[in-house]
Coordinates of all heavy atoms in Angstrom, one line a residue:
L1 N 0.8 -1.3 0.0 CA 0.0 0.0 0.0 C 0.9 1.3 0.1 O 0.6 2.2 -0.7 CB -0.9 0.1 1.2 CG -2.0 -1.0 1.2 CD1 -2.8 -0.9 2.5 CD2 -2.9 -0.8 0.0
T2 N 2.0 1.2 0.8 CA 2.9 2.5 0.7 C 3.5 2.5 -0.7 O 3.5 3.7 -1.2 CB 4.0 2.1 1.7 OG1 3.5 1.9 3.1 CG2 5.0 3.3 1.7
V3 N 3.9 1.6 -1.4 CA 4.4 1.8 -2.7 C 3.3 2.2 -3.7 O 3.6 3.0 -4.6 CB 4.9 0.2 -3.2 CG1 5.4 0.3 -4.7 CG2 6.3 -0.1 -2.5
G4 N 2.1 1.6 -3.5 CA 1.0 2.1 -4.3 C 0.7 3.5 -4.1 O 0.3 4.2 -5.1
S5 N 0.7 4.0 -3.0 CA 0.5 5.5 -2.7 C 1.4 6.3 -3.2 O 1.1 7.4 -3.8 CB 0.3 5.6 -1.1 OG -0.7 4.9 -0.5
L6 N 2.7 5.9 -3.2 CA 3.8 6.6 -3.8 C 3.9 6.7 -5.3 O 4.4 7.7 -6.0 CB 5.2 6.2 -3.1 CG 5.4 6.4 -1.8 CD1 6.8 5.6 -1.4 CD2 5.5 7.7 -1.4
T7 N 3.3 5.6 -6.0 CA 3.3 5.5 -7.4 C 1.9 5.9 -8.0 O 1.6 5.6 -9.2 CB 3.7 4.1 -7.8 OG1 2.9 3.0 -7.2 CG2 5.2 3.8 -7.4
N8 N 1.1 6.4 -7.2 CA -0.3 6.7 -7.5 C -1.1 5.6 -8.2 O -1.8 5.7 -9.1 CB -0.3 7.9 -8.7 CG 0.2 9.2 -8.1 OD1 -0.3 9.5 -7.0 ND2 1.0 9.9 -8.9
S9 N -0.8 4.5 -7.8 CA -1.6 3.1 -8.0 C -2.5 2.8 -7.0 O -3.2 3.7 -6.3 CB -0.7 2.0 -8.5 OG 0.2 1.7 -7.4
Y10 N -2.6 1.4 -6.6 CA -3.5 1.2 -5.6 C -2.8 1.3 -4.1 O -2.1 0.5 -3.8 CB -3.9 -0.4 -5.7 CG -5.1 -0.7 -4.8 CD1 -6.5 -0.5 -5.2 CD2 -4.8 -1.4 -3.6 CE1 -7.5 -0.8 -4.4 CE2 -6.1 -1.6 -2.8 CZ -7.3 -1.4 -3.3 OH -8.4 -1.8 -2.4
G11 N -3.2 2.4 -3.5 CA -2.6 2.6 -2.2 C -3.7 2.7 -1.0 O -4.7 2.2 -1.2
F12 N -3.2 3.6 0.0 CA -4.0 3.6 1.1 C -5.4 4.2 0.9 O -6.4 3.8 1.4 CB -3.4 4.3 2.2 CG -2.2 3.7 2.8 CD1 -0.9 4.0 2.6 CD2 -2.5 2.6 3.7 CE1 0.2 3.3 3.1 CE2 -1.5 2.0 4.4 CZ -0.1 2.3 4.0
R13 N -5.4 5.3 0.0 CA -6.8 6.0 -0.3 C -7.7 5.0 -0.9 O -8.8 5.0 -0.5 CB -6.5 7.2 -1.1 CG -7.6 8.0 -1.3 CD -7.4 9.3 -2.2 NE -7.0 8.8 -3.5 CZ -8.0 8.6 -4.5 NH1 -9.2 8.8 -4.1 NH2 -7.6 8.3 -5.8
L14 N -7.2 4.5 -2.0 CA -8.1 3.5 -2.8 C -8.5 2.3 -1.8 O -9.6 1.8 -1.9 CB -7.5 3.0 -4.0 CG -7.4 4.1 -5.1 CD1 -6.6 3.4 -6.4 CD2 -8.7 4.5 -5.5
A15 N -7.6 1.8 -1.0 CA -7.9 0.7 -0.2 C -9.0 1.0 0.8 O -10.0 0.3 1.1 CB -6.7 0.2 0.6
F16 N -8.9 2.3 1.5 CA -9.9 2.7 2.3 C -11.2 2.9 1.6 O -12.3 2.6 2.1 CB -9.5 4.1 2.9 CG -10.5 4.6 3.8 CD1 -10.7 4.1 5.2 CD2 -11.3 5.8 3.5 CE1 -11.6 4.6 6.1 CE2 -12.1 6.2 4.4 CZ -12.3 5.7 5.6
K17 N -11.3 3.5 0.4 CA -12.4 3.6 -0.4 C -13.2 2.2 -0.6 O -14.3 2.1 -0.4 CB -12.2 4.3 -1.7 CG -13.5 4.5 -2.5 CD -13.1 5.4 -3.8 CE -12.4 4.4 -4.8 NZ -13.2 3.4 -5.4
D18 N -12.4 1.2 -1.0 CA -12.9 0.0 -1.2 C -13.5 -0.7 0.1 O -14.6 -1.3 0.1 CB -11.9 -1.0 -1.8 CG -11.6 -0.7 -3.3 OD1 -12.5 0.0 -3.9 OD2 -10.7 -1.1 -3.8
Y19 N -12.8 -0.5 1.1 CA -13.2 -1.0 2.4 C -14.5 -0.4 2.9 O -15.3 -1.0 3.4 CB -12.0 -0.7 3.4 CG -12.4 -1.3 4.8 CD1 -12.4 -2.6 5.1 CD2 -12.7 -0.3 5.8 CE1 -12.6 -3.1 6.4 CE2 -13.0 -0.8 7.1 CZ -13.0 -2.3 7.4 OH -13.2 -2.6 8.7
K20 N -14.6 0.9 2.8 CA -15.8 1.7 3.0 C -17.0 1.3 2.3 O -18.1 1.1 2.8 CB -15.5 3.1 2.8 CG -16.6 4.1 3.4 CD -16.1 5.6 3.3 CE -15.7 5.9 1.8 NZ -15.4 7.5 1.8
E21 N -16.8 1.1 0.9 CA -17.9 0.6 0.1 C -18.3 -0.8 0.6 O -19.6 -1.1 0.6 CB -17.4 0.6 -1.4 CG -17.2 2.0 -1.9 CD -16.6 1.9 -3.2 OE1 -16.4 0.9 -3.8 OE2 -16.2 3.0 -3.7
M22 N -17.4 -1.7 0.8 CA -17.7 -3.2 1.2 C -18.4 -3.2 2.6 O -19.5 -3.9 2.7 CB -16.6 -4.0 1.2 CG -16.0 -4.3 -0.2 SD -14.7 -5.5 -0.2 CE -13.4 -4.3 0.2
V23 N -18.1 -2.5 3.5 CA -18.8 -2.3 4.8 C -20.1 -1.7 4.6 O -21.2 -2.4 5.2 CB -17.9 -1.3 5.8 CG1 -18.8 -1.2 7.1 CG2 -16.7 -2.1 6.1
Y24 N -20.2 -0.7 3.8 CA -21.7 -0.2 3.5 C -22.6 -1.2 2.9 O -23.7 -1.2 3.2 CB -21.5 1.2 2.6 CG -22.8 1.8 2.4 CD1 -23.4 2.6 3.4 CD2 -23.4 1.7 1.2 CE1 -24.6 3.3 3.2 CE2 -24.7 2.3 0.9 CZ -25.1 3.1 1.8 OH -26.4 3.7 1.6
G25 N -22.0 -1.9 1.9 CA -22.7 -2.9 1.2 C -23.3 -4.1 2.2 O -24.3 -4.5 1.8
I26 N -22.6 -4.2 3.2 CA -23.0 -5.3 4.1 C -24.3 -4.9 4.8 O -25.3 -5.7 5.1 CB -22.0 -5.6 5.3 CG1 -20.7 -6.3 4.6 CG2 -22.5 -6.5 6.4 CD1 -19.6 -6.4 5.6
F27 N -24.5 -3.7 5.1 CA -25.7 -3.1 5.9 C -26.8 -2.6 5.0 O -27.9 -2.2 5.6 CB -25.1 -2.1 6.9 CG -24.2 -2.6 8.0 CD1 -22.9 -2.3 7.8 CD2 -24.8 -3.3 9.0 CE1 -22.0 -2.8 8.7 CE2 -23.7 -3.7 9.9 CZ -22.5 -3.6 9.9
T28 N -26.5 -2.4 3.8 CA -27.5 -2.0 2.8 C -27.6 -2.9 1.7 O -27.4 -2.4 0.4 CB -27.2 -0.5 2.3 OG1 -25.9 -0.5 1.7 CG2 -27.2 0.3 3.5
E29 N -27.8 -4.2 1.9 CA -27.8 -5.1 0.8 C -28.9 -4.9 -0.2 O -30.1 -4.7 0.1 CB -27.9 -6.5 1.3 CG -27.8 -7.6 0.4 CD -27.9 -9.0 0.9 OE1 -28.1 -9.2 2.0 OE2 -27.7 -9.9 0.0
P30 N -28.7 -4.8 -1.5 CA -29.7 -4.5 -2.5 C -30.7 -5.6 -2.6 O -30.5 -6.8 -2.2 CB -28.9 -4.4 -3.8 CG -27.5 -4.0 -3.5 CD -27.3 -4.6 -2.2

């Protein structure tokens, strides 16, 4: 994640976004 953040690929920001989306999906299942 550190390397991803430094190289503008998959880093901490995108990981947190994915994590937030998945947690939200658990409690609001379509």
Side-chain angles (χ1 to χ4, degrees):
L1 291 177
T2 300
V3 171
S5 297
L6 294 174
T7 57
N8 292 322
S9 56
Y10 194 86
F12 288 103
R13 186 179 67 84
L14 289 178
F16 178 72
K17 181 175 73 69
D18 285 347
Y19 179 77
K20 184 170 60 174
E21 291 170 7
M22 286 185 281
V23 170
Y24 182 78
I26 291 175
F27 298 102
T28 60
E29 185 178 2

